């Protein structure tokens, strides 16, 4: 695990309710004179650095997305020197990013005074455990491989993973993926014996699904010949007869990962197993800059093969294996349990007590967090708005035009070429990464022409296209909830909406005493929702009219972009809230043990009773689709945007 050493200081910010409402006040933050040296993450809330953290730069660049077939990223090692430089130049670039007030995040529910703390100084300060639909929290606590009642003679032995040379594996992979013109690969059997030939047969069949093998004599020597059993159709489909009938078709396991997002992790596992990513399933995606623990299911890959990956993968561990007859489905989880460390806190014990009690008893505003809206000068909600307006030239322009801010150098060159020539082929040549959104749109324009932008845009995977319009819905929702809190405070009022089962109903005057703010929901705009009966209902209409949209006609001529809408609670009260203030001297020392630490028998960190620094250790559980950063924002009362963090950081150096 790579860490970056740098200097940091804690920033002190006044944060009353009035301060947050005023964007100008947010910029006039005061900086505490106190400083410390430590390992700092790019997402830290209030840090000053001598050099911009690589992780921050990476998190603010356009992400490379997998295509619909889940092809793995080929370009993750690409770096660009344009992003090097002093923090002031990076902060200048981030001036074009978003602050919370830009996306409607302006209110707090608690009355305590805010205080400073460093969020994600180390990615290991942010740990996420998935909560399954049965309410069980996922933990990695067992590396053992289950034994079948029916022994499968074709399960690979340990020798299977070492009997083939790297050159053999390369040739077999090319054959498996049909990357060359060869119809077979011959592997000479050194030190020939029946046992040795059996191991090679097993190795080829288990490591390269879709290939069959046979033994041949050539010039007095024994060779194992690998070939395609059924052409392309056999690729990545495990042989049916090799799977015991008594064993469930899906191997479920717990994935423990550090500093990788879920899709990246699955792409890596796919690459090592030499299978397609789409045979994996999961209930939800998890943060990159964190330690996360979640359940994954994979079709017809043995626990033994998966367990072997623990010997060759960095920052991953797999365990708690079991066989079941079903995959996992997105959204089946109950939520996530978070363990978070906020380092170098400045709040008094009384402030911390007030803040955490408020989080436990009242909760926080259920805003969509900053990651929903992108980090560049073109927010994702603007593209979503243009899609809903059916303004396809604007969609193309927003995605491809030059933009100020922090981006990979090759994207900058691609945008400049596009602005100069409007030639998709020329702009595409500037992109070594073809699977980013820009590359996919340019390929679409090359295929369908500039007069068919709708079809060109359709080349982008569906989930990524829908991300834009969901971002616009989130933008509207955040703004409307801020207005609702400002207008009516933290109590249910007549005209609010609540859910009866899955159906939204208005709260009537005579029933209002039966409801609290925790019962109130607000709609994401769409054709299948109702709106509040009070002023906020009109505010929805006014906001959409200002965006040239009709709230009464949210159906789009392209079915994918028709918004049905949904309901979302405006206040979330976390469950299982616990906290502890600890003292420490060394910023690099972990302040709690992870699942992996426990499995490896690492002792609890020894902390001084009277250290130089103080940290707040928090634990809480949240339902799906809620943002832990918004809960932490409520505790600290601070702007969580990268733009605000970076501007505050750089102020100290000027």
């Amino acid at each position: 695990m790579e860490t970056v050493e740098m200097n940091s200081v804690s920033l002190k910010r006044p944060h009353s309710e009035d301060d947050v409402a005023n964007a100008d006040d947010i910029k006039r933050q005061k900086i505490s004179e106190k400083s410390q040296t430590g390992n700092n993450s790019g997402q830290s809330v209030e840090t000053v650095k001598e050099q911009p953290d690589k992780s921050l730069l990476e998190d603010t660049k356009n992400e490379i997305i997998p295509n619909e077939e889940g092809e793995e990223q080929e370009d993750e090692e690409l770096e660009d020197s344009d992003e090097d430089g002093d923090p002031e130049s990076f902060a200048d670039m981030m001036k074009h990013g978003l602050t919370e007030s830009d996306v409607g995040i302006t209110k707090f529910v608690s009355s305590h005074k805010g205080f400073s703390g460093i969020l994600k100084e180390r990615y290991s300060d942010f740990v996420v455990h998935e909560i399954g639909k049965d309410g069980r929290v996922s933990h990695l606590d067992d590396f053992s491989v289950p034994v079948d009642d029916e022994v499968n003679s074709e399960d690979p032995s340990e020798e299977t993973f070492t009997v083939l040379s790297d050159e053999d594996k390369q040739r077999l992979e090319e054959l498996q993926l049909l990357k060359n013109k060869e119809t077979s690969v011959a592997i000479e059997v050194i030190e020939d014996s029946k046992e040795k030939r059996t191991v090679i047969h097993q190795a080829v069949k288990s490591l390269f699904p879709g290939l069959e093998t046979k033994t041949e004599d050539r010039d007095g020597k024994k060779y194992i010949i690998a070939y395609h059993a059924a052409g392309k159709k056999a690729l990545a489909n495990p042989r049916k007869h090799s799977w015991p009938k008594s064993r469930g078709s899906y191997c479920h396991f717990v994935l423990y990962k550090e500093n990788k997002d879920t899709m990246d992790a699955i792409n890596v596992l796919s690459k090592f197993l030499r299978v397609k990513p789409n045979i994996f399933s999961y209930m939800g995606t998890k943060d990159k800059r964190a330690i996360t623990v979640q359940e994954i299911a994979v079709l017809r890959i043995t626990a033994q093969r998966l367990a072997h990956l623990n010997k060759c993968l960095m920052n991953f561990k797999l365990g708690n294996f079991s066989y079941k007859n079903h995959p996992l489905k997105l959204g089946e989880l109950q939520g996530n349990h978070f363990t978070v460390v906020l380092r170098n806190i400045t709040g008094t014990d009384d402030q911390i007590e007030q803040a955490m009690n408020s989080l436990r008893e009242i909760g926080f505003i259920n805003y969509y967090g900053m990651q929903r809206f992108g980090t560049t000068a073109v927010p994702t909600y603007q593209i979503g708005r243009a899609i809903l307006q059916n303004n396809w030239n604007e969609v193309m322009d927003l995605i491809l035009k030059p933009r100020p801010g922090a981006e990979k150098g090759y994207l900058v060159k691609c945008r400049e070429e596009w602005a100069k020539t409007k030639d998709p082929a020329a702009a595409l040549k500037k992109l070594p990464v073809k699977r980013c959104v820009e590359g996919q749109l340019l390929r679409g324009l090359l295929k369908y022409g500039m007069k068919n932008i709708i079809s060109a845009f359709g080349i982008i995977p569906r989930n990524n296209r829908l991300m834009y319009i969901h971002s616009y819905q989130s933008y509207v929702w955040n703004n409307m909830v801020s207005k609702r809190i400002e207008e009516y405070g933290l109590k249910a009022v007549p005209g609010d909406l609540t859910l009866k089962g899955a159906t939204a109903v208005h709260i009537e005057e005579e029933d209002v005493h039966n409801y609290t703010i925790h019962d109130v929901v607000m709609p994401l705009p769409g054709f299948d929702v109702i709106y509040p009966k009070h002023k906020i209902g009109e505010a929805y209409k006014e906001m959409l009219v200002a965006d040239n949209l009709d709230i009464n006609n949210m159906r789009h001529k392209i079915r994918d972009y028709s918004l049905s809408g949904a309901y979302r609670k405006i206040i979330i009260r976390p469950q299982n809230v616990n906290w502890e203030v600890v003292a420490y001297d060394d910023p690099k020392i972990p302040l709690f043990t992870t699942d992996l630490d426990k499995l490896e028998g690492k002792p609890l960190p020894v902390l001084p009773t009277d250290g130089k620094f103080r940290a707040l250790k928090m634990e809480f559980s949240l339902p799906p689709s809620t943002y832990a950063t918004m809960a932490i924002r409520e505790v600290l009362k601070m702007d969580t945007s990268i733009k605000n963090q970076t501007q505050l950081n750089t102020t100290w150096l000027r």
Side-chain angles (χ1 to χ4, degrees):
M1 281 168 274
E2 182 183 0
T3 57
V4 183
E5 296 297 326
M6 57 193 66
N7 289 334
S8 65
V9 300
S10 179
L11 301 178
K12 184 179 178 183
R13 285 153 297 168
H15 259 301
S16 69
E17 189 85 348
D18 294 335
D19 290 331
V20 176
N22 188 327
D24 290 330
D25 285 346
I26 294 177
K27 297 173 185 174
R28 294 195 292 269
Q29 308 287 357
K30 294 181 182 176
I31 304 171
S32 122
E33 307 268 327
K34 216 174 185 182
S35 67
Q36 64 150 324
T37 301
N39 176 35
N40 217 342
S41 105
Q43 293 187 1
S44 71
V45 168
E46 38 186 35
T47 53
V48 174
K49 307 169 197 168
E50 291 181 351
Q51 295 294 331
D53 187 354
K54 180 180 174 184
S55 65
L56 176 57
L57 291 168
E58 287 175 344
D59 287 345
T60 57
K61 297 169 200 166
N62 284 39
E63 290 185 5
I64 302 166
I65 55 175
N67 65 18
E68 285 181 301
E69 289 73 44
E71 292 175 7
E72 64 200 68
Q73 295 174 211
E74 296 173 341
D75 314 279
E76 55 191 10
E77 297 302 319
L78 284 166
E79 295 294 335
D80 197 277
S81 60
D82 293 356
E83 289 148 357
D84 294 336
D86 58 68
E88 290 172 303
S89 63
F90 182 69
D92 287 341
M93 289 192 291
M94 287 311 300
K95 284 177 184 175
H96 306 281
L98 296 171
T99 62
E100 287 185 347
S101 59
D102 293 329
V103 293
I105 302 172
T106 59
K107 297 294 178 185
F108 294 101
V109 298
S110 55
S111 58
H112 74 273
K113 184 180 178 183
F115 54 92
S116 297
I118 303 174
L119 171 63
K120 292 191 182 181
E121 180 172 15
R122 301 164 60 83
Y123 66 75
S124 54
D125 285 348
F126 198 92
V127 180
V128 186
H129 288 267
E130 188 173 72
I131 306 172
K133 60 181 179 181
D134 58 357
R136 184 176 52 84
V137 179
S138 290
H139 283 281
L140 180 75
D141 52 21
D142 184 4
F143 284 142
S144 65
V145 173
V147 178
D148 287 324
D149 294 333
E150 176 185 338
V151 177
N152 180 23
S153 62
E154 297 205 33
D155 271 359
S157 65
E158 190 62 33
E159 194 180 356
T160 298
F161 300 103
T162 57
V163 70
L164 297 173
S165 69
D166 289 341
E167 182 183 350
D168 289 337
K169 290 177 182 176
Q170 179 68 32
R171 292 167 61 215
L172 288 165
E173 182 173 3
E174 289 175 356
L175 175 67
Q176 182 202 33
L177 300 177
L178 304 168
K179 286 187 175 179
N180 57 26
K181 295 181 181 178
E182 291 184 43
T183 56
S184 64
V185 166
I187 301 167
E188 184 181 353
V189 183
I190 310 297
E191 300 173 7
D192 178 39
S193 68
K194 185 177 180 181
E195 291 75 18
K196 183 71 175 285
R197 294 197 301 272
T198 300
V199 170
I200 296 175
H201 282 295
Q202 285 183 338
V204 173
K205 291 173 184 177
S206 62
L207 298 179
F208 301 91
L211 297 185
E212 289 289 351
T213 57
K214 60 185 177 182
T215 304
E216 284 187 4
D217 280 310
R218 295 183 182 179
D219 301 324
K221 295 179 180 178
K222 294 280 189 185
Y223 286 85
I224 305 297
I225 310 300
Y227 61 96
H228 268 289
K232 290 184 179 181
K233 289 184 180 178
L235 181 60
N237 288 327
R239 295 154 66 248
K240 291 182 181 178
H241 67 267
S242 70
W243 199 264
K245 291 180 181 178
S246 63
R247 178 196 286 170
S249 294
Y250 295 87
C251 184
H252 287 232
F253 62 95
V254 168
L255 171 66
Y256 170 103
K257 62 182 181 64
E258 299 181 353
N259 210 24
K260 279 270 185 191
D261 67 33
T262 302
M263 273 314 304
D264 282 345
I266 284 175
N267 283 335
V268 170
L269 295 178
S270 304
K271 182 177 180 181
F272 274 83
L273 293 167
R274 296 179 173 87
V275 296
K276 288 185 176 181
N278 61 7
I279 70 170
F280 289 87
S281 57
Y282 49 89
M283 294 183 286
T285 57
K286 302 289 179 270
D287 292 348
K288 174 184 177 180
R289 191 161 175 79
I291 291 174
T292 70
V293 184
Q294 68 182 115
E295 189 174 350
I296 304 284
V298 60
L299 176 64
R300 294 198 172 191
I301 299 290
T302 65
Q304 190 173 5
R305 283 183 69 189
L306 293 167
H308 179 75
L309 297 179
N310 285 331
K311 298 179 181 179
C312 46
L313 289 177
M314 293 287 290
N315 296 357
F316 295 107
K317 289 293 177 185
L318 285 61
N320 296 79
F321 302 103
S322 62
Y323 292 108
K324 299 181 182 178
N325 288 316
H326 58 84
L328 295 170
K329 293 180 182 177
L330 274 173
E332 279 187 331
L333 70 168
Q334 265 193 28
N336 294 288
H337 185 75
F338 296 87
T339 306
V340 178
V341 170
L342 302 175
R343 292 184 183 250
N344 201 19
I345 54 170
T346 61
T348 64
D349 288 345
D350 189 49
Q351 282 177 286
I352 293 164
E353 196 76 10
Q354 285 181 40
M356 294 307 298
N357 276 320
S358 175
L359 184 67
R360 181 160 59 188
E361 292 163 15
I362 302 174
F364 63 97
I365 304 172
N366 194 18
Y367 286 126
Y368 288 95
M370 296 303 296
Q371 56 267 55
R372 187 80 165 186
F373 305 102
T375 53
T376 67
V378 179
T380 50
Y381 75 80
Q382 291 184 4
I383 299 169
R385 179 168 56 201
I387 293 169
L388 295 173
Q389 292 169 342
N390 223 25
N391 187 346
W392 292 100
N393 283 311
E394 176 79 353
V395 171
M396 178 178 67
D397 192 43
L398 285 170
I399 293 174
L400 295 178
K401 72 180 181 181
R403 57 179 72 170
E407 283 200 306
K408 286 180 182 273
Y410 56 77
L411 269 175
V412 173
K413 291 168 186 170
C414 169
R415 296 186 193 287
E416 289 170 349
E417 183 66 34
W418 173 256
K420 185 169 65 178
T421 65
K422 290 291 188 287
D423 180 351
L428 205 52
K429 284 179 183 176
K430 302 289 184 182
L431 275 184
V433 180
K434 301 296 192 289
R435 294 191 182 108
C436 59
V437 168
E438 293 81 0
Q440 289 167 329
L441 179 55
L442 288 168
R443 280 195 292 119
L445 293 169
L446 203 57
K447 181 176 181 179
Y448 294 106
M450 298 285 285
K451 292 185 178 178
N452 194 353
I453 300 170
I454 295 176
S455 295
F457 183 71
I459 276 191
I460 297 170
R462 182 174 183 270
N463 282 350
N464 295 94
R465 286 182 278 123
L466 297 184
M467 172 194 73
Y468 293 121
I469 57 175
H470 292 159
S471 176
Y472 178 73
Q473 284 181 302
S474 306
Y475 169 71
V476 172
W477 194 91
N478 278 1
N479 278 279
M480 292 300 99
V481 166
S482 291
K483 282 184 180 292
R484 161 64 182 77
I485 299 289
E486 183 176 355
E487 190 71 35
Y488 299 111
L490 297 177
K491 62 181 187 300
V493 298
D496 274 335
L497 293 170
T498 190
L499 291 177
K500 298 283 188 184
T503 305
V505 297
H506 290 104
I507 296 175
E508 303 297 339
E509 179 84 51
E510 58 271 22
D511 295 326
V512 72
H513 63 279
N514 293 324
Y515 298 98
T516 72
I517 193 67
H518 297 101
D519 300 311
V520 177
V521 298
M522 285 182 57
L524 284 90
F527 60 78
D528 198 26
V529 294
I530 60 175
Y531 295 89
K533 280 184 179 176
H534 45 53
K535 292 180 183 178
I536 306 305
E538 284 303 311
Y540 270 95
K541 293 178 186 175
E542 291 165 7
M543 185 169 183
L544 267 69
V545 165
D547 285 341
N548 294 315
L549 294 170
D550 181 358
I551 201 166
N552 297 313
N553 183 20
M554 297 301 288
R555 293 186 185 273
H556 197 281
K557 67 177 187 179
I558 300 170
R559 186 176 177 182
D560 266 357
Y561 310 138
S562 289
L563 294 177
S564 60
Y567 299 99
R568 181 175 174 89
K569 284 199 168 187
I570 69 173
I571 301 291
I572 290 292
R573 187 160 43 194
Q575 301 299 304
N576 308 310
V577 178
N578 291 292
W579 68 93
E580 177 188 8
V581 176
V582 297
Y584 65 102
D585 287 321
D586 184 354
K588 293 180 288 184
I589 194 170
L591 299 182
F592 56 82
T593 52
T594 65
D595 285 359
L596 187 57
D597 292 335
K598 293 170 187 173
L599 270 171
E600 294 178 346
K602 290 184 181 176
L604 283 165
V606 179
L607 301 173
T609 53
D610 189 23
K612 288 186 290 186
F613 309 115
R614 293 159 71 240
L616 173 60
K617 289 168 59 178
M618 315 164 53
E619 285 193 65
F620 52 88
S621 300
L622 295 177
S625 302
T626 54
Y627 290 76
T629 50
M630 294 295 100
I632 295 164
R633 168 187 180 269
E634 185 70 41
V635 170
L636 294 177
K637 291 205 167 176
M638 58 192 278
D639 186 323
T640 59
S641 67
I642 292 175
K643 173 179 178 178
N644 190 59
Q645 294 165 33
T646 311
Q647 287 179 338
L648 289 167
N649 294 345
T650 309
T651 306
W652 178 73
L653 295 176
R654 285 180 172 156

